[in-house]
């Protein structure tokens, strides 16, 4: 048994969060469908499921449902249920989700400014290999 006095801090290799402290945010925000969902809700406001699915495009209903539930759990999306006949459900980006807007804007700027360079680098690499 290791006594508390002989414990050392985990090394970055043992703890991925210490190696890259933004990795939990990257996992949370930049999974396959999360970014398009948040971007769409931010750009177009409150939407019903079908509207959101239509705007995003190729996401399946099952995957969209799963991602929306996770985003609601994480506090990035608010789901509002209206007990009408037929029932109506709407989704909107939360205040916490909206706080990501500057990050997305910075990434959009970076993309516009640097993706041509990335494309050229890929072409050079592919030609050499």
């Amino acid at each position: 048994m290791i006594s508390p006095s002989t414990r050392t801090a985990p090394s970055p290799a043992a703890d991925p969060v210490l190696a890259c402290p933004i990795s939990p945010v990257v996992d949370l925000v930049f999974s396959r469908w999360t970014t398009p969902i948040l971007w769409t809700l931010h750009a177009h406001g409150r939407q019903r499921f079908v509207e959101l699915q239509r705007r995003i495009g190729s996401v399946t209903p099952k995957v969209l449902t799963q991602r929306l539930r996770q985003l609601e759990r994480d506090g990035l999306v608010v789901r509002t249920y209206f007990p009408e006949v037929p029932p109506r459900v709407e989704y909107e980006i939360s205040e916490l989700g909206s706080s990501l807007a500057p990050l997305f804007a910075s990434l959009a700027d970076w993309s516009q400014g640097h993706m041509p360079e990335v494309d050229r680098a890929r072409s050079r690499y592919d030609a050499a290999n």
Side-chain angles (χ1 to χ4, degrees):
M1 178 174 194
I2 299 174
S3 72
S5 62
T6 60
R7 287 187 189 156
T8 59
S11 71
D15 186 350
V17 174
L18 291 176
C20 180
I22 66 165
S23 62
V25 176
V26 171
D27 291 343
L28 173 73
V29 177
F30 297 107
S31 65
R32 174 71 172 105
W33 293 106
T34 299
T35 306
I37 292 168
L38 292 174
W39 186 279
T40 302
L41 289 174
H42 179 74
H44 300 283
R46 183 184 282 217
Q47 296 172 64
R48 295 178 78 167
F49 185 91
V50 174
E51 295 172 300
L52 187 56
Q53 184 182 19
R54 191 175 329 115
R55 283 198 166 108
I56 292 173
S58 60
V59 65
T60 66
K62 177 184 176 185
V63 170
L64 182 56
T65 298
Q66 290 171 342
R67 293 308 311 148
L68 285 168
R69 285 183 183 156
Q70 185 64 48
L71 289 168
E72 183 182 9
R73 179 177 181 258
D74 293 337
L76 301 176
V77 166
V78 176
R79 178 184 182 269
T80 305
Y81 173 80
F82 298 92
E84 305 168 344
V85 178
R88 179 170 50 109
V89 176
E90 294 180 343
Y91 297 91
E92 64 185 311
I93 195 164
S94 69
E95 187 176 326
L96 180 61
S98 291
S99 71
L100 292 166
L103 173 64
F104 288 154
S106 293
L107 288 170
D109 290 345
W110 187 92
S111 177
Q112 287 180 335
H114 296 287
M115 283 311 292
E117 291 176 60
V118 172
D119 290 337
R120 287 190 298 276
R122 288 175 178 169
S123 293
R124 283 190 306 272
Y125 180 90
D126 291 346
N129 294 306

